[in-house]
Amino acid sequence: MAEVLEVIEQAPLQDRDLLQRLSLYFDAFEHRLRQGQGWFIFNAEGGRSSRIARYIQHRLAEYYPTVTAYMVGWRDFALSAYVNEVGLPELQPQVERGTNPAARKEFELAKHLTEETWVRMLESDLLILIGLKPAHWHEATFLDRTIDGRYRKRRATILMTPDLPQELEAEYESVDPTRTYWNRLFSRIYETSLVAL
């Protein structure tokens, strides 16, 4: 616990305020999880993002192994999104028609690994996604499916983005001009999460 207090005390003022709010969240963590309550943290880039993630990891350690949590960076999430939404669907017809056993084996391995990742993102008591910054439609689509699945199961999610709300909204609009994904993400997260700038 002393290490957690040290992280708070060494942080800049705005981060200290957020970390203190997170401290209250984790003090009633199991209750918050039952409610499916998470966080949507904007303006979290570089050192701020690292401090927040480190603090969350310290606090999660207090609840291990009774609480399952999955922390994933945006780059890894975006890669999973590409494999799930683009790569595997494009390769599947070729693999099913083909006679190359090595290609089929690689396809099945990729499919298995992405399914494991998907289950962890969907079923963990808490999903922490660091660095949310959609640049392609498949990332917005995959995030929409992830948040929708967690929302339906009342699972808590912490989203951290380096952007301010209007910047993230503009990024979403560039990959989804219909604004479907942004509106659904914002309404679901706003309904179930605390918000920090």
Side-chain angles (χ1 to χ4, degrees):
M1 189 62 162
E3 198 171 326
V4 169
L5 291 174
E6 187 176 317
V7 170
I8 293 174
E9 289 171 5
Q10 292 178 354
L13 178 61
Q14 291 303 314
D15 289 0
R16 240 180 292 149
D17 177 63
L18 173 57
L19 294 176
Q20 288 169 346
R21 291 174 60 206
L22 278 168
S23 181
L24 295 173
Y25 173 83
F26 279 104
D27 288 346
F29 188 45
E30 290 166 335
H31 174 70
R32 307 276 189 163
L33 286 180
R34 282 192 298 277
Q35 292 181 330
Q37 189 180 93
W39 279 86
F40 202 163
I41 303 171
F42 294 93
N43 197 27
E45 60 182 324
R48 184 173 199 226
S49 177
S50 297
R51 273 189 296 281
I52 295 166
R54 203 168 47 250
Y55 179 81
I56 290 170
Q57 285 176 319
H58 284 301
R59 292 304 305 260
L60 285 171
E62 298 170 25
Y63 296 94
Y64 180 80
T66 57
V67 171
T68 60
Y70 186 50
M71 187 176 285
V72 62
W74 183 252
R75 194 183 103 211
D76 292 336
F77 184 89
L79 180 59
S80 289
Y82 179 81
V83 170
N84 274 284
E85 303 297 323
V86 179
L88 290 177
E90 283 181 4
L91 291 175
Q92 188 165 0
Q94 297 170 14
V95 170
E96 289 174 352
R97 286 191 314 265
T99 57
N100 184 341
R104 179 175 289 282
K105 186 176 180 180
E106 289 176 13
F107 177 83
E108 292 301 326
L109 176 62
K111 187 175 173 183
H112 175 74
L113 291 174
T114 56
E115 285 173 359
E116 276 186 1
T117 301
W118 170 248
V119 168
R120 285 186 71 191
M121 284 193 283
L122 201 59
E123 298 297 332
S124 294
D125 296 320
L126 178 65
L127 172 66
I128 306 106
L129 180 56
I130 301 168
L132 168 63
K133 197 162 181 68
H136 304 283
W137 70 267
H138 57 268
E139 296 167 359
T141 301
F142 193 60
L143 182 60
D144 183 68
R145 285 196 306 119
T146 303
I147 297 301
D148 182 60
R150 295 188 63 76
Y151 176 83
R152 291 175 189 275
K153 293 179 178 223
R154 296 187 60 83
R155 301 259 196 253
T157 304
I158 296 176
L159 297 177
M160 288 194 287
T161 178
D163 296 330
L164 291 169
Q166 64 276 15
E167 295 168 338
L168 185 60
E169 182 178 7
E171 287 170 4
Y172 259 90
E173 194 170 331
S174 73
V175 298
D176 174 31
T178 68
R179 300 176 55 90
T180 303
Y181 293 139
W182 169 252
N183 290 338
R184 196 161 34 215
L185 171 74
F186 191 80
S187 67
R188 288 187 171 160
I189 294 297
Y190 190 80
E191 178 185 329
T192 62
S193 299
L194 300 164
V195 177
L197 294 174

